[in-house]
């Protein structure tokens, strides 16, 4: 049975925990235009969003936001800082047009997990179908956890697969450990900018296989 994740996010206070049961959970995501309706779906500071423990089933979050200019750019899950997201599959919901995963038929971009602030953790997450558009300058981010020198963030034991579009950074954080990225092969005659890992201006960051 499919369930709506958004009311749980909206109702959970700062430093609370959302634990999802196995199954499909849908969301309208958080638009980068930051409308009043969109920001209600931000994870508040300190909130943990988690699926079942390993071996106890799979919880998948699927974005059902329309792929239109009006709906704009969006992040499936966005957090205000000091968030933890773990034990989940997060799916951007972007179909593969004509079976070509690097095609760009939509005007907006779609990030998967985008945690702002610092002190964030993403672990045991599979990200699918992020989407970015090079010609529009719209870079997509699969799993992104901002950090700072005093409160670094980390991404561990994660995967990003089934990337759609031609402008993508799969994983970015101040500490990246034991992660896998699988980009599709571009079609002959096409170009794409894709970075598996990014640490930006991080000082003393860590990338470890």
């Amino acid at each position: 049975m499919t369930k709506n994740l958004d009311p749980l996010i909206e109702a959970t206070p700062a430093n609370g925990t959302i634990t999802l049961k196995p199954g499909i959970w849908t969301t309208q995501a958080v638009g980068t235009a930051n409308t009043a309706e969109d920001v209600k779906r931000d994870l508040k500071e300190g909130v943990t969003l988690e699926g079942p423990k390993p071996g106890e089933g799979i919880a998948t979050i699927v974005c059902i936001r329309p792929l239109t200019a009006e709906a704009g750019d969006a992040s499936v899950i966005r957090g205000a800082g000091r968030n933890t997201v773990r034990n989940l599959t997060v799916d951007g919901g972007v179909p593969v047009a004509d079976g070509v995963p690097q095609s760009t038929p939509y005007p907006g971009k779609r990030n998967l997990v985008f945690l702002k602030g610092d002190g964030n953790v993403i672990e045991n997450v599979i990200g699918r179908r992020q989407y970015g558009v090079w010609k529009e300058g719209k870079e997509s981010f699969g799993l992104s956890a901002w950090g700072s020198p005093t409160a670094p963030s980390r991404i561990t034991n994660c995967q990003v697969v089934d990337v759609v579009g031609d402008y993508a950074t799969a994983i970015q954080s101040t500490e990246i450990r034991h992660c896998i990225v699988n980009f599709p092969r571009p079609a002959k005659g096409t170009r794409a900018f894709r970075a598996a890992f990014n640490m930006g201006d991080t000082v003393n960051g860590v990338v470890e296989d």
Side-chain angles (χ1 to χ4, degrees):
M1 181 172 64
T2 300
K3 299 180 180 179
N4 185 359
L5 174 62
D6 294 338
L8 292 179
I9 292 178
E10 294 172 20
T12 301
N15 301 311
T17 298
I18 303 169
T19 302
L20 303 182
K21 293 182 179 180
I24 304 296
W25 297 79
T26 61
T27 178
Q28 288 289 335
V30 184
T32 57
N34 293 319
T35 67
E37 190 66 25
D38 277 319
V39 297
K40 291 193 302 183
R41 295 188 287 270
D42 270 321
L43 296 177
K44 301 174 185 70
E45 187 169 353
V47 167
T48 292
L49 175 62
E50 62 184 8
K53 294 178 181 178
E56 296 182 2
I58 298 172
T60 300
I61 299 171
V62 180
C63 182
I64 58 172
R65 191 182 186 94
L67 289 156
T68 62
E70 291 74 20
D73 304 334
S75 298
V76 181
I77 298 296
R78 192 175 74 177
R82 301 185 183 274
N83 299 116
T84 295
V85 177
R86 62 189 175 208
N87 302 337
L88 294 164
T89 294
V90 180
D91 190 327
V94 180
V96 177
D98 301 321
V100 183
Q102 71 281 348
S103 60
T104 55
Y106 310 113
K109 72 172 183 177
R110 187 150 293 173
N111 305 320
L112 300 179
V113 180
F114 195 83
L115 305 181
K116 302 185 293 181
D118 56 17
N120 297 295
V121 175
I122 304 174
E123 59 185 3
N124 299 325
V125 171
I126 297 175
R128 298 187 61 240
R129 297 195 292 179
Q130 70 184 87
Y131 174 75
V133 189
W134 173 263
K135 69 178 181 180
E136 302 292 340
K138 295 188 175 184
E139 181 180 7
S140 67
F141 298 93
L143 307 177
S144 177
W146 294 9
S148 70
T150 57
S153 294
R154 61 182 172 87
I155 299 178
T156 59
N157 298 314
C158 292
Q159 297 183 49
V160 173
V161 298
D162 301 329
V163 175
V164 188
D166 56 9
Y167 196 8
T169 292
I171 296 176
Q172 67 172 11
S173 186
T174 50
E175 182 179 321
I176 302 168
R177 297 181 185 270
H178 313 302
C179 293
I180 297 172
V181 175
N182 187 357
F183 288 126
R185 183 185 298 275
K188 185 177 181 180
T190 64
R191 294 183 177 181
F193 175 89
R194 295 172 177 149
F197 306 113
N198 178 38
M199 304 187 75
D201 297 325
T202 298
V203 177
N204 297 324
V206 175
V207 177
E208 182 180 87
D209 63 10

